[in-house]
Amino acid sequence: MLLRTERVLQLRSQQGRSVRVVREHYLRPDVPCRSALCRAACPRDGKLLSDDVTHYVVPDCKVVQDYLEILEFPELKGVIFMQTACQAVQHQKGRRHYNKLRNLVKDARHDCIVFANEFHQHSYLPREKGESMEKWQTRSIYSAAVWYYNHCLGQMPVVMVTEDEDAIRKYGNETEGVFVISFKNYLDNFWPDLKAAHELFDSILQARRERESESQENNGKEYPEHLPVEILEAGIKSGRYIQGTLNVNKHRAQVEAFVRLQGFGGKETDLQSDILIYGTRARNRAIHGDVVAVELLPVQEWKGRTVALCENETEDKAPADTSGDPMPTGKVVGIMQKNWRDYVVTFPSKEDSQSQSRNAQKILVIPWDYRIPKIRISTQQAEALQEYRVVVRIDSWESTSLYPNGHFVRVLGRIGDLEGEIAAILVENSICVAPFSEIQMSEMPMISSKNLWKVNPEEAKNRLDLRDTHLILSIDPKGCEDVDDALSVRTLPNGNLELGVHIADVTHFVAPNSYTDVEARARATTYYLADRRYDMLPSVLSADICSLLSGVDRYAVSVLWELAKESYEILRVCYNKTIIRSAYKLVYEAAQGLLDGDTSVVADIPELKNLDETTKQEKLAELVWAISKLTDIARHVRAKRDSCGALELEGVEIQVQLDDKNNICDLIPRQPLEVHETVAECMILANHWVAKKIAESFPHQALLRQHPPPRQEFFTELRECASAKGFSIDTRSNKALAESLDKANDPLDPIVNKLLRSMATQAMSNAVYFSTGSCPEEEFHHYGLALEKYTHFTSPIRRYADIIVHRLLMAATTLEETKGGVKDNIVSNKDLQEVCRHINSRNRAAQHAQKQSTELFQCMYFKDKTPETDECCLADGVIYSIRANGVLVFVPRYGIKGAVYMKNKDGLVMACQGDGSCEWKPGSLHRFQSKITSTTTTGESVTLSLFDHITVKILVQTSRCHADTIKLEITRNAPYQTSDVDVSQKNFHVVRSDLVKEVSQSAEAAQRAQENSGVEVLDEDYREYCQTKGASLYQLLEEIRDLALLDISADVRS
């Protein structure tokens, strides 16, 4: 029975006038309490509050707003967030803070729930006339706490925590069993040993007091005030202001930032490029990643982006003649959405901190990310934490302050320590790697060595059984555990061929909205770092029940095509839930060996061992035929895509080689194999056909993947570089670009084509997931793959997008079979687009983390070398870009890209001697489109041109506050000659698993030595990040498929 009431709201119009609004408000008696103690008839579905606690705690609005970080501690159990407090957070703290609260409540690891007190007949209180909003909120939350205590029949004491002294005096002893105390009192009495919570409380309290005192003391404005939201929204709609995301140039963070356009409301614009925001005052307290509103400056005030090479820490100002052509320039007039996060920072050295302020408790800490400004925090631990990386959060940035104010959160690890640096990478990319919770693990099938997983006979009736009819095989990297795809090919009775792609049926074990599903959705992907991985799903699924290992029965979702026997044209396709038994788990090298006719690799195929010779030869012939036929089909499929304009882009994957002393002694680019392309083409084919199927069945709510065409201005440098070699690059379409790149081949230097393809890759837009209902069909196209529709279906073990697609595909096939409507497991367009945004964000984080961890290990490799004596620190470099004060160089030997300066900080220029060796001398530089000339005061001259080969020295530039970086120096104006590189690349057959074990032993020995020397290590914090089980940090190095060493020098577009 619903009870109708009215709520009176005081709202503000766009013109700033106060408007009184009366809205209907309905109350009901059956709002669920979500407590396991409930003896009433409340629904018990979903998350329930534990009954295994000493008390329930109810925080009021102010506590939730100010101390949510402490309420996130998993030790705090039995937390009831009242609807009143949640709405206060939503309206007063913004979407980001509110989303943190929502995620906390959803997280199965945290014992907390939301109670909708404002919709319950017996807990809702109308606001009294003249009562302030804060007093009404506190009274409502107390009333709801009393109701909750009585509803649970007094079985559990309820503690309401508040910062309102009047409420404590008024309600403290009013109801037996319901206690009202301050949050500090609560921590002191109930959690006296939770040291981290007490330190965080003190940090937050101190930061708040500093803000209040600063706002009273400072009347002078350092920055203009932001415009009100209603004015910004109206301005964006009219076209006066432009909305976009702020991207700070990490190499010139003090002066250069860009706003990537997000749309212009209903107003057309002629802008075709990003908007330059020059200087911190024009940035107006916006932080990298914020969504801002920008006002364009007059054209005569426009500036150009820097074309000179810059070093992060020292070169805040570039010479006046190093700017490019003027571009749209603007200033930030308001912030639409603050995307603040946790920041890794380092305390300044003792000398710097002493010169900062008279008040030793106020410290300007230096963020790990160059793009983030220094943050002022208050702490008494500055001296003790000098050598550690710590996490802080920004609280505010007032117009009267040069820097944002924040507070200390926790310690990560010692500067330079591997675990501390990995933890910093994870925090910087907002990656949570907490172990899977008990409630999530309780959803997993119970298996053991004595109780192996078996096919359910009832489930088998609903699946196509391929165990006895198909030769199924998987091809993966050495040591791969999470095998989520397998292939098959066979000849049909009518002479045609049948191609099969079989994908692990993860969705059978992960029910929609289960705890495992919610966690997988939050993670969105498996995170691969250079020495470890963090799984999206528990290992019982990813490495066992769902992994398509050889010789065991597995559930799969299969796509089967009937192909014409000679032309390989697709005649028919079907999608089925299946049961398979893979016959072979091959590694890439063995499959390539069989393809090339190398029978020596048979010894590396365990499934062919212990067979008599006749049986072995029969099975070998059958296997070789299957791999050869799969490769033939893949060639045909690739040729068809090529004819439509598919692009072949360039990437580098690195392998590690060790010496006898367990030291990393080499980084070697992996050589591509044709069998890589075979597997990739079969997966692309499956993804394409599944995309067509789900888009046809669910035209407004299917998850696809689009790759927008790149903006033409991003190809400028590619075209200029190609023209220096006499090549013409046509970028009007993907087909024209692909054909141009194929023709841009220098027979004397194959590196030229690789570099041009790499530059084309840099110019590309990022592929993203989207819901088909969110954009017109003509935008579905995948530019790089030259396909009209594309999705991800083939890796549900490590990508949540694939799980959604599996559910859509099964719903589509069910819809076809039943001729009726299927709404189960189908997400609305709005919700699906929100999930897509989240997955895209997590994918970007995964890519950044992988790149940063790769750079970390690059630096570890070269850090122990002596550049003057170690030959491995010298390498051949190829120039691929000319800048005002130097060149950008690609080092094929190690897959490294970096800057080489022709003019140093002292103003000296690079001069070359008769033997090609280089030294610094007084002189000047002259930059041209395809070359740069250095002329000394004595008349000596040297010219470096695009695609010239030079000898570079590789060093590591260490930084106390930031990540170490690779630095390149030119040593000779001539190619580096050595035969060792070619030999090592041709004869590299070191087994990766052996390398991993040796690196492991080396790392563990170093760790023990550090501990024995008495160095303090914060093990408690380190253990938080150790998720993947194994004997070492390096155990999973061989599993990484796409470990590409990307550009470490500069963002080409910044």
Side-chain angles (χ1 to χ4, degrees):
M1 182 72 180
L2 295 180
L3 179 64
R4 180 181 175 277
T5 64
E6 291 182 345
R7 292 186 67 179
V8 179
L9 304 177
Q10 294 291 336
L11 303 179
R12 191 173 296 277
S13 70
Q14 288 192 357
Q15 291 74 32
R17 293 194 300 270
S18 181
V19 180
R20 184 174 183 271
V21 178
V22 179
R23 287 183 179 166
E24 292 182 342
H25 187 71
Y26 290 91
L27 304 176
R28 43 191 278 199
D30 56 348
V31 175
C33 68
R34 306 207 177 281
S35 170
L37 288 173
C38 180
R39 296 294 181 263
C42 290
R44 299 179 69 86
D45 55 322
K47 188 176 178 183
L48 294 179
L49 207 57
S50 170
D51 56 0
D52 186 24
V53 292
T54 59
H55 64 281
Y56 287 156
V57 58
V58 177
D60 80 343
C61 300
K62 192 69 175 170
V63 171
V64 178
Q65 289 178 36
D66 291 346
Y67 301 109
L68 182 60
E69 297 162 60
I70 299 176
L71 296 172
E72 289 176 326
F73 277 56
E75 291 86 353
L76 271 63
K77 300 180 184 297
V79 182
I80 304 169
F81 293 104
M82 296 298 174
Q83 175 192 0
T84 303
C86 296
Q87 289 179 343
V89 169
Q90 182 181 18
H91 296 147
Q92 296 173 33
K93 296 293 284 187
R95 188 170 73 178
R96 189 170 184 82
H97 202 82
Y98 180 62
N99 284 341
K100 283 184 67 176
L101 175 57
R102 288 178 60 194
N103 292 334
L104 173 64
V105 174
K106 289 179 183 177
D107 194 332
R109 290 185 293 265
H110 293 272
D111 185 29
C112 58
I113 55 100
V114 171
F115 175 61
N117 64 300
E118 293 189 22
F119 291 119
H120 199 291
Q121 284 184 9
H122 304 297
S123 64
Y124 173 71
L125 293 178
R127 186 173 166 190
E128 296 175 352
K129 188 173 182 179
E131 186 177 29
S132 70
M133 176 63 74
E134 292 77 13
K135 293 297 181 185
W136 171 77
Q137 288 171 339
T138 302
R139 188 166 63 91
S140 293
I141 291 174
Y142 175 73
S143 174
V146 172
W147 177 89
Y148 210 94
Y149 173 75
N150 293 326
H151 179 75
C152 293
L153 304 179
Q155 300 174 81
M156 184 71 68
V158 174
V159 180
M160 176 180 166
V161 289
T162 179
E163 295 295 280
D164 186 340
E165 295 293 336
D166 291 339
I168 295 172
R169 285 192 294 271
K170 183 176 181 180
Y171 303 124
N173 300 310
E174 187 171 288
T175 306
E176 185 179 353
V178 180
F179 305 91
V180 182
I181 59 177
S182 70
F183 194 47
K184 181 172 183 5
N185 195 359
Y186 174 73
L187 291 177
D188 289 343
N189 287 283
F190 288 86
W191 302 100
D193 299 325
L194 194 55
K195 184 180 177 184
H198 287 273
E199 290 177 350
L200 185 53
F201 178 86
D202 292 340
S203 176
I204 295 171
L205 187 63
Q206 181 67 21
R208 196 174 74 201
R209 288 172 178 167
E210 295 285 356
R211 285 199 307 276
E212 291 169 354
S213 118
E214 188 175 83
S215 63
Q216 291 171 1
E217 293 172 4
N218 292 339
N219 296 319
K221 300 287 185 186
E222 298 288 352
Y223 296 97
E225 292 289 350
H226 293 145
L227 297 178
V229 173
E230 54 268 20
I231 294 177
L232 294 176
E233 290 175 345
I236 291 168
K237 190 173 182 180
S238 68
R240 178 178 179 180
Y241 305 132
I242 299 166
Q243 180 172 308
T245 302
L246 186 77
N247 287 282
V248 178
N249 180 354
K250 69 178 180 180
H251 301 289
R252 301 195 70 225
Q254 294 298 311
V255 293
E256 202 168 81
F258 301 89
V259 170
R260 178 66 48 83
L261 311 184
Q262 275 192 349
F264 310 92
K267 194 82 172 175
E268 290 297 321
T269 178
D270 295 327
L271 286 179
Q272 296 296 320
S273 70
D274 296 341
I275 300 170
L276 172 64
I277 308 296
Y278 192 85
T280 53
R281 185 168 178 81
R283 212 177 296 171
N284 195 5
R285 295 170 286 147
I287 292 174
H288 174 79
D290 286 351
V291 178
V292 297
V294 174
E295 182 177 28
L296 284 177
L297 298 176
V299 175
Q300 59 269 25
E301 295 182 30
W302 288 9
K303 298 179 182 291
R305 70 174 71 215
T306 305
V307 294
L309 301 171
C310 318
E311 289 191 22
N312 296 331
E313 293 183 277
T314 56
E315 297 187 21
D316 290 343
K317 295 183 179 179
D321 60 349
T322 60
S323 294
D325 296 333
M327 63 182 295
T329 306
K331 62 180 180 181
V332 173
V333 293
I335 300 176
M336 305 302 295
Q337 181 181 325
K338 294 175 181 175
N339 287 324
W340 298 350
R341 55 175 174 81
D342 287 1
Y343 298 102
V344 178
V345 302
T346 307
F347 285 88
S349 61
K350 289 183 179 178
E351 299 77 19
D352 292 339
S353 60
Q354 286 171 0
S355 63
Q356 270 191 22
S357 171
R358 296 175 185 175
N359 184 349
Q361 289 188 356
K362 281 189 177 181
I363 300 290
L364 277 176
V365 291
I366 304 162
W368 188 84
D369 187 341
Y370 285 101
R371 299 169 298 185
I372 308 302
K374 292 178 181 178
I375 302 168
R376 184 189 290 110
I377 68 170
S378 298
T379 180
Q380 298 177 347
Q381 304 181 65
E383 190 170 339
L385 296 174
Q386 287 258 312
E387 300 303 318
Y388 290 90
R389 302 242 187 259
V390 301
V391 178
V392 302
R393 287 178 184 159
I394 294 176
D395 298 315
S396 66
W397 194 348
E398 305 301 331
S399 60
T400 55
S401 174
L402 272 174
Y403 300 101
N405 292 304
H407 64 270
F408 166 86
V409 178
R410 70 179 188 277
V411 177
L412 283 183
R414 191 175 287 274
I415 296 171
D417 181 85
L418 176 62
E419 286 304 303
E421 298 304 317
I422 290 291
I425 290 171
L426 295 174
V427 170
E428 280 295 313
N429 290 285
S430 302
I431 296 174
C432 174
V433 292
F436 291 100
S437 67
E438 289 183 15
I439 195 166
Q440 288 157 357
M441 297 306 296
S442 69
E443 295 178 338
M444 299 296 100
M446 299 298 293
I447 62 169
S448 65
S449 57
K450 296 181 180 179
N451 181 30
L452 299 176
W453 180 84
K454 295 178 182 178
V455 170
N456 185 313
E458 289 301 314
E459 178 66 22
K461 295 176 183 177
N462 301 318
R463 291 178 178 266
L464 182 62
D465 195 338
L466 307 181
R467 287 175 288 186
D468 299 325
T469 56
H470 289 63
L471 173 69
I472 296 174
L473 57 97
S474 64
I475 308 176
D476 291 285
K478 284 188 179 77
C480 181
E481 295 176 349
D482 50 346
V483 181
D484 42 20
D485 57 80
L487 300 169
S488 69
V489 63
R490 64 171 183 159
T491 304
L492 296 173
N494 63 4
N496 290 333
L497 294 173
E498 181 192 75
L499 170 67
V501 171
H502 313 276
I503 307 301
D505 189 1
V506 172
T507 57
H508 177 81
F509 301 96
V510 181
N513 298 317
S514 62
Y515 290 117
T516 306
D517 183 57
V518 169
E519 179 66 20
R521 182 163 63 238
R523 298 189 182 208
T525 182
T526 291
Y527 298 96
Y528 292 93
L529 303 189
D531 66 329
R532 66 193 76 185
R533 75 165 188 246
Y534 296 105
D535 299 318
M536 183 183 79
L537 295 171
S539 60
V540 67
L541 294 182
S542 62
D544 195 343
I545 298 174
C546 291
S547 187
L548 306 183
L549 306 171
S550 63
V552 292
D553 296 343
R554 291 291 183 257
Y555 292 154
V557 177
S558 301
V559 185
L560 301 169
W561 297 269
E562 183 178 345
L563 309 176
K565 59 183 176 182
E566 293 181 359
S567 67
Y568 299 144
E569 290 300 316
I570 295 173
L571 306 176
R572 189 175 64 87
V573 62
C574 63
Y575 311 89
N576 296 99
K577 282 192 169 188
T578 57
I579 303 173
I580 68 169
R581 183 186 298 134
S582 176
Y584 299 96
K585 180 179 180 291
L586 301 176
V587 298
Y588 282 119
E589 292 77 9
Q592 186 64 47
L594 294 178
L595 190 61
D596 296 339
D598 180 7
T599 55
S600 65
V601 300
V602 174
D604 298 328
I605 303 175
E607 292 87 352
L608 293 179
K609 293 179 180 179
N610 304 321
L611 297 176
D612 61 78
E613 194 60 30
T614 303
T615 305
K616 180 186 290 187
Q617 291 304 319
E618 289 176 357
K619 288 188 173 293
L620 181 60
E622 185 182 44
L623 178 59
V624 170
W625 178 87
I627 295 174
S628 301
K629 189 58 67 176
L630 286 169
T631 302
D632 284 343
I633 295 170
R635 288 170 185 158
H636 171 82
V637 173
R638 174 72 201 203
K640 192 171 182 180
R641 284 200 305 111
D642 284 344
S643 68
C644 297
L647 295 168
E648 181 183 339
L649 301 176
E650 188 66 28
V652 181
E653 186 174 328
I654 292 299
Q655 293 176 324
V656 178
Q657 189 176 16
L658 303 181
D659 62 16
D660 296 335
K661 297 181 180 179
N662 299 328
N663 296 315
I664 302 175
C665 67
D666 217 343
L667 298 171
I668 298 179
R670 187 193 73 166
Q671 300 304 307
L673 305 173
E674 185 177 14
V675 74
H676 291 147
E677 293 297 318
T678 299
V679 175
E681 281 303 324
C682 292
M683 298 303 120
I684 291 170
L685 185 68
N687 288 333
H688 172 52
W689 279 86
V690 168
K692 293 204 295 185
K693 179 67 176 177
I694 62 176
E696 177 188 350
S697 300
F698 306 105
H700 303 297
Q701 55 207 88
L703 185 149
L704 299 188
R705 189 163 174 82
Q706 65 182 166
H707 185 208
R711 286 159 55 174
Q712 286 300 307
E713 64 266 26
F714 291 165
F715 285 124
T716 302
E717 191 167 19
L718 169 65
R719 287 192 290 261
E720 290 175 353
C721 282
S723 65
K725 273 287 184 180
F727 301 125
S728 175
I729 302 293
D730 186 349
T731 61
R732 289 176 296 179
S733 69
N734 54 355
K735 184 174 176 62
L737 176 59
E739 291 173 350
S740 300
L741 289 172
D742 288 341
K743 293 174 183 175
N745 234 323
D746 185 345
L748 301 178
D749 190 358
I751 293 294
V752 171
N753 190 261
K754 287 181 177 291
L755 273 172
L756 292 176
R757 291 185 186 277
S758 176
M759 294 174 74
T761 304
Q762 291 286 335
M764 293 294 160
S765 310
N766 290 323
V768 293
Y769 298 108
F770 71 102
S771 170
T772 48
S774 65
C775 65
E777 189 168 352
E778 54 267 24
E779 295 181 13
F780 290 5
H781 185 74
H782 196 292
Y783 179 89
L785 297 177
L787 294 171
E788 289 302 318
K789 293 184 179 71
Y790 191 68
T791 192
H792 274 162
F793 158 77
T794 53
S795 294
I797 288 177
R798 60 187 179 91
R799 292 188 304 230
Y800 189 74
D802 301 54
I803 289 179
I804 295 175
V805 169
H806 274 238
R807 290 172 180 155
L808 285 165
L809 179 62
M810 290 301 98
T813 55
T814 304
L815 185 69
E816 193 175 75
E817 292 167 2
T818 60
K819 310 291 185 186
V822 177
K823 293 300 179 186
D824 291 346
N825 307 335
I826 304 303
V827 185
S828 69
N829 170 59
K830 182 181 177 181
D831 292 341
L832 182 58
Q833 190 59 23
E834 187 63 35
V835 172
C836 287
R837 276 193 286 269
H838 169 70
I839 297 175
N840 291 332
S841 169
R842 293 295 80 212
N843 281 349
R844 286 192 294 271
Q847 291 165 4
H848 292 156
Q850 182 176 323
K851 177 177 181 287
Q852 289 162 359
S853 70
T854 300
E855 292 169 359
L856 171 63
F857 276 81
Q858 278 182 312
C859 292
M860 286 173 57
Y861 170 66
F862 288 108
K863 203 170 186 178
D864 296 332
K865 306 289 185 287
T866 305
E868 290 71 25
T869 57
D870 277 332
E871 189 178 347
C872 62
C873 292
L874 294 176
D876 188 55
V878 186
I879 297 170
Y880 70 91
S881 183
I882 306 294
R883 298 298 171 91
N885 56 343
V887 295
L888 294 178
V889 172
F890 173 59
V891 183
R893 175 71 179 83
Y894 299 112
I896 291 173
K897 291 181 179 178
V900 171
Y901 287 84
M902 296 287 289
K903 189 173 188 177
N904 66 13
K905 298 172 185 176
D906 299 324
L908 303 178
V909 300
M910 184 60 66
C912 292
Q913 308 304 309
D915 60 354
S917 60
C918 300
E919 62 178 346
W920 298 105
K921 289 186 176 182
S924 60
L925 287 181
H926 301 280
R927 180 203 182 205
F928 305 92
Q929 182 171 311
S930 61
K931 63 183 180 181
I932 185 169
T933 299
S934 168
T935 306
T936 66
T937 52
T938 57
E940 299 166 300
S941 178
V942 59
T943 298
L944 298 182
S945 301
L946 285 172
F947 301 110
D948 279 357
H949 287 248
I950 59 176
T951 300
V952 295
K953 179 165 62 177
I954 304 171
L955 310 95
V956 176
Q957 184 169 316
T958 59
S959 172
R960 183 174 170 278
C961 300
H962 309 281
D964 293 345
T965 54
I966 293 291
K967 183 179 179 181
L968 302 178
E969 291 182 359
I970 181 172
T971 60
R972 287 173 58 86
N973 183 22
Y976 180 67
Q977 299 293 338
T978 178
S979 60
D980 295 342
V981 174
D982 297 332
V983 171
S984 64
Q985 288 187 0
K986 290 178 182 176
N987 300 318
F988 182 68
H989 295 298
V990 181
V991 179
R992 279 210 228 172
S993 58
D994 294 338
L995 300 183
V996 170
K997 291 175 184 175
E998 292 182 340
V999 177
S1000 167
Q1001 293 167 3
S1002 175
E1004 289 169 354
Q1007 180 70 18
R1008 284 196 297 272
Q1010 183 188 47
E1011 291 171 354
N1012 293 337
S1013 67
V1015 177
E1016 182 184 356
V1017 178
L1018 302 181
D1019 290 324
E1020 183 176 345
D1021 291 287
Y1022 292 169
R1023 281 197 295 271
E1024 179 182 351
Y1025 293 91
C1026 298
Q1027 180 195 26
T1028 303
K1029 294 183 179 179
S1032 75
L1033 301 173
Y1034 299 83
Q1035 183 175 357
L1036 297 161
L1037 183 61
E1038 71 273 26
E1039 297 177 14
I1040 301 175
R1041 299 167 185 252
D1042 306 313
L1043 184 55
L1045 291 182
L1046 305 177
D1047 192 342
I1048 64 167
S1049 61
D1051 184 338
V1052 172
R1053 298 193 284 272
S1054 294

